[in-house]
């Protein structure tokens, strides 16, 4: 981290509450006038002007000379905007078999990306791979690497972001792994550890659908069934770092054992692995998810039944989530979205059957998320950690 980046980091971290709110507003809504910043934050225009000045001096915010909008009379408009390249963040998504890492600017636009296969899910081996892939990104960035200000790491499971501990990750086979501290020993920048779906939700909150939606939820379908909540303008983390875990609602057959060790979880019947197991058991041979998809499209009753059961459970779980929290929109993402035609009708029918009253008006949308998008979410989590 060079002197300019270190100074900018110190300025952001030491800002007053008003200063942090002003910087966050500019970061997520620029270009924006000082008048609109005051409206968004509830601060006086004088307080906004005072907060903006050091950000401009540090090169974090650009403030061109004031001008009248479209030549109309009245008070001059002076829009300010974030200097996107002032800082670079690294985002890392850890999967059981590979790591995807991106370097982004302050708007999470990808500047460079890398992928690396994992030969082992042992935490120390994963840490070594993360260290190496971050170094690859630093090399790829060239001179821009001096602007790196933080690293965000996203992992599936029960993650305590405040302590940097992966308390439980069924996909990785981890329990009580102090991944944040172990990485911090290896990397020269602040490290932020976050649950992968929460990180994705933070990215949507600051740089995606959250800018125009007061409340939304993300549900991901794939190796696991995850969800993230954005309510009343904030991403919900929960008192203990766990919130919105619809994959572990006990709605499935109680004889099914979930990878988490509990019985009857939605994930026990609706994840990629669960569908593979159901179809393989029915056909008496090993069936991959790609073959299960092909069989379902061809009308095979066992494969079709496995997808319908998964869709019924996910739709019921979404209805439960919507009944409890009332989001305007539910975005369905994850690798399972590529085969959403196998889920859609049954999922929507189950949602409508269980959504209470006006909750049925909640829109259900799909948005494919690549693993690079997950890594961008980790970068967004690192940016949020810096600002807050």
């Amino acid at each position: 981290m060079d002197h300019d980046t270190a100074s900018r980091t110190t300025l952001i971290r030491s800002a007053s509450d008003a200063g942090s709110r002003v910087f966050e507003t500019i970061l997520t809504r620029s270009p924006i006038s000082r008048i609109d910043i005051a409206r968004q934050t509830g601060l006086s225009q004088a307080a906004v002007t005072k907060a903006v000045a050091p950000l401009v001096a540090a090169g974090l915010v650009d403030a061109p000379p004031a001008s009248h909008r479209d030549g109309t009379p009245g008070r001059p408009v002076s829009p300010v905007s974030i200097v996107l390249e002032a800082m670079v963040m690294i985002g890392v998504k850890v999967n059981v078999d590979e790591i995807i890492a991106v370097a982004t600017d302050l708007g999470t636009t990808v500047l460079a990306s890398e992928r690396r296969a994992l030969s082992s899910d042992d935490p120390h081996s994963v840490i070594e791979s993360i260290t190496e892939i971050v170094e690859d990104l630093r090399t790829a960035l060239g001179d821009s690497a001096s602007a790196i200000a933080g690293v965000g790491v996203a992992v599936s499971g029960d993650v305590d972001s405040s302590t940097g501990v992966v308390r439980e990750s069924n996909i990785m086979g981890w329990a009580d792994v102090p991944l944040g501290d172990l990485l911090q020993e290896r990397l020269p920048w602040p490290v932020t550890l976050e649950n992968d779906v929460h990180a994705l939700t933070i990215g949507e909150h600051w740089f995606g659908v959250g800018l125009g939606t007061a409340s939304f939820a993300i549900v991901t379908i794939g190796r696991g069934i995850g969800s993230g909540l954005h309510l009343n303008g904030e991403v919900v983390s929960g008192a203990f770092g766990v919130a919105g875990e619809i994959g572990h609602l006990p709605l499935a057959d109680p004889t099914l054992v979930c990878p988490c060790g509990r019985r009857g979880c939605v994930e026990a019947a609706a994840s990629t692995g669960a569908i593979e197991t159901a179809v393989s058991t029915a056909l008496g041979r090993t069936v991959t998810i790609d073959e299960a998809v092909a069989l379902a499209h061809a009308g095979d009753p066992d494969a079709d039944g496995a997808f319908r059961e998964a869709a019924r459970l996910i739709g019921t779980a979404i209805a439960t989530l919507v009944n409890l929290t009332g989001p305007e929109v539910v975005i369905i993402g994850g690798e399972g979205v590529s085969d959403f035609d196998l889920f859609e009708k049954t999922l929507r029918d189950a949602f409508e059957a269980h959504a209470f009253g006006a909750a049925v008006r909640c829109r259900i949308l799909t948005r494919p998320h690549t693993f690079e998008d997950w890594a961008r979410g980790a970068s967004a989590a690192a940016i949020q950690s810096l600002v807050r």
Side-chain angles (χ1 to χ4, degrees):
M1 189 183 299
D2 70 0
H3 175 73
D4 286 344
T5 305
S7 297
R8 289 165 181 164
T9 300
T10 300
L11 174 63
I12 295 170
R13 288 195 180 280
S14 63
S16 64
D17 177 64
S20 294
R21 281 189 284 157
V22 167
F23 182 68
E24 181 178 327
T25 301
I26 298 170
L27 174 67
T28 56
R29 291 174 169 82
S30 68
I32 184 171
S33 70
R34 289 173 174 83
I35 295 172
D36 287 336
I37 295 171
R39 291 192 186 113
Q40 289 282 343
T41 61
L43 298 168
S44 68
Q45 290 187 45
V48 170
T49 298
K50 181 180 179 181
V52 167
L55 298 173
V56 173
L60 284 162
V61 168
D62 181 43
S67 62
H68 289 284
R69 185 184 286 126
D70 299 329
T72 57
R75 186 167 185 162
V77 175
S78 182
V80 297
S81 56
I82 200 75
V83 179
L84 293 171
E85 66 274 15
M87 286 180 162
V88 172
M89 290 293 176
I90 304 293
V92 180
K93 171 67 168 84
V94 179
N95 292 324
V96 69
D97 54 359
E98 69 172 343
I99 293 173
I100 298 92
V102 297
T104 78
D105 63 19
L106 284 174
T108 69
T109 296
V110 175
L111 307 174
S113 64
E114 297 282 346
R115 298 180 79 133
R116 179 180 290 265
L118 281 177
S119 58
S120 168
D121 57 13
D122 174 75
H124 293 285
S125 177
V126 173
I127 287 164
E128 187 65 33
S129 295
I130 292 174
T131 304
E132 291 171 357
I133 202 169
V134 169
E135 184 57 36
D136 290 345
L137 280 176
R138 176 152 64 170
T139 301
L141 286 168
D143 293 342
S144 297
S146 62
I148 297 174
V151 177
V153 179
V155 183
S156 172
D158 180 358
V159 176
D160 186 342
S161 58
S162 63
T163 62
V165 174
V166 181
R167 291 183 292 214
E168 182 180 344
S169 177
N170 305 314
I171 287 176
M172 299 303 298
W174 293 351
D176 297 321
V177 175
L179 191 66
D181 285 348
L182 293 173
L183 279 170
Q184 195 63 79
E185 293 173 1
R186 300 290 302 274
L187 298 173
W189 310 282
V191 174
T192 300
L193 185 68
E194 186 57 89
N195 166 272
D196 55 354
V197 185
H198 286 184
L200 195 64
T201 308
I202 290 168
E204 291 287 355
H205 165 43
W206 272 16
F207 306 108
V209 70
L211 288 177
T213 307
S215 60
F216 69 88
I218 292 179
V219 172
T220 55
I221 303 173
R223 290 172 176 168
I225 307 298
S227 65
L229 284 169
H230 172 276
L231 302 174
N232 302 319
E234 295 294 336
V235 176
V236 178
S237 296
F240 307 104
V242 178
E245 289 287 350
I246 69 168
H248 298 287
L249 290 175
L251 302 176
D253 182 342
T255 65
L256 295 175
V257 179
C258 182
C260 75
R262 299 163 184 86
R263 290 182 176 272
C265 296
V266 170
E267 195 168 297
S271 68
T272 296
I275 292 171
E276 288 177 334
T277 298
V279 180
S280 297
T281 300
L283 298 182
R285 60 182 177 83
T286 300
V287 175
T288 66
I289 190 62
D290 289 339
E291 185 182 359
V293 168
L295 287 168
H297 280 139
D300 179 89
D302 294 313
D304 182 66
F307 279 101
R308 284 181 183 275
E309 176 62 4
R312 183 187 69 79
L313 288 167
I314 295 169
T316 303
I318 291 173
T320 303
L321 182 72
V322 172
N323 287 342
L324 287 171
T325 61
E328 298 174 45
V329 178
V330 173
I331 301 165
I332 298 180
E335 60 264 36
V337 169
S338 61
D339 306 306
F340 192 65
D341 61 306
L342 294 173
F343 292 92
E344 184 165 17
K345 185 180 186 307
T346 302
L347 185 153
R348 291 186 184 277
D349 287 347
F351 169 75
E352 291 174 7
H354 294 287
F356 177 74
V360 76
R361 292 161 55 189
C362 175
R363 291 176 292 143
I364 297 178
L365 309 175
T366 59
R367 178 178 295 183
H369 288 110
T370 66
F371 280 119
E372 191 172 270
D373 291 326
W374 292 82
R376 286 179 62 235
S379 176
I383 295 170
Q384 185 185 75
S385 178
L386 171 69
V387 175
R388 296 185 175 181

